[in-house]
């Protein structure tokens, strides 16, 4: 009789335990953004470039970014007519939900290779761009918040 009681109870408990997640999978946060980029060596009276992009990050339960990417198009306006001096960039994301570091490659409007790196916090990013024209330090104000860590979910 005890054997049957244990068997019946285990039929109900096993599926509940099988559905319980002890280590939740990362949450993916995907966000489009816009930003204004200034060359930091150019002074404050320069016209900023426009940056339009998309960022995706997998944030683990502890707040670390397991993987992520950032794709953006940066361009300057020529007397508010057509965009000139544009560059397309793709970066990998590292870090956590407090600070994101990105490292990537890009192409400028001449088809020349561009190396890019940066550090991002809520609504701000500071970066370095290395191209055939030399090293350029940039500062950006953007509409992007850092991703949040997933909340712990207790299945019962």
């Amino acid at each position: 009789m005890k054997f049957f009681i244990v068997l019946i109870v285990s039929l109900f408990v096993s599926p509940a335990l099988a559905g319980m997640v002890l280590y939740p999978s990362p949450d993916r946060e995907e966000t489009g953004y816009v930003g204004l980029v200034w060359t930091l060596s150019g002074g404050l009276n320069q016209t900023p470039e426009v940056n339009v992009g998309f960022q995706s990050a997998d944030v683990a339960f502890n707040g670390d970014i397991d993987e992520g990417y950032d794709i953006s198009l940066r361009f300057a306006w020529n007397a508010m007519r057509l965009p000139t001096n544009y560059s397309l960039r793709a970066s990998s994301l590292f870090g956590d939900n407090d600070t994101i570091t990105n490292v990537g490659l890009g192409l400028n409007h001449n088809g020349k290779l561009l190396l890019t790196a940066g550090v991002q916090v809520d609504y701000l990013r500071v970066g370095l761009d290395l191209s055939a024209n030399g090293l350029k330090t940039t500062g950006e104000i953007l509409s992007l918040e850092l991703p949040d860590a997933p909340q712990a979910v207790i299945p019962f």
Side-chain angles (χ1 to χ4, degrees):
M1 184 67 173
K2 288 182 184 179
F3 174 75
F4 288 113
I5 293 174
V6 171
L7 180 65
I8 292 172
V9 169
S10 68
L11 290 175
F12 291 104
V13 173
S14 297
L17 291 178
M20 185 171 71
V21 178
L22 297 177
Y23 300 101
S25 63
D27 279 354
R28 178 171 298 229
E29 289 205 16
E30 297 178 331
T31 309
Y33 65 91
V34 295
L36 297 174
V37 183
W38 286 268
T39 302
L40 295 181
S41 60
L44 295 176
N45 59 354
Q46 64 178 324
T47 303
E49 294 178 314
V50 178
N51 194 20
V52 178
F54 179 79
Q55 190 173 89
S56 175
D58 288 346
V59 184
F61 183 67
N62 61 0
D64 289 343
I65 295 178
D66 289 338
E67 62 182 38
Y69 62 90
D70 185 300
I71 298 173
S72 66
L73 175 66
R74 184 183 297 177
F75 54 92
W77 287 95
N78 181 13
M80 297 306 285
R81 290 190 197 119
L82 296 174
T84 61
N85 298 333
Y86 58 88
S87 60
L88 181 64
R89 301 153 190 265
S91 301
S92 292
L93 302 180
F94 308 97
D96 55 29
N97 60 342
D98 293 328
T99 304
I100 293 177
T101 303
N102 60 5
V103 177
L105 296 172
L107 291 174
N108 64 15
H109 64 281
N110 296 328
K112 304 282 183 178
L113 186 64
L114 170 72
L115 301 174
T116 183
V119 176
Q120 175 185 328
V121 295
D122 283 337
Y123 308 112
L124 295 172
R125 183 175 2 200
V126 176
L128 293 172
D129 293 335
L130 179 63
S131 67
N133 298 334
L135 185 65
K136 183 168 69 168
T137 306
T138 60
E140 181 176 5
I141 297 173
L142 66 161
S143 64
L144 192 59
E145 280 186 351
L146 294 175
D148 295 325
Q151 299 295 319
V153 177
I154 300 173
F156 32 85

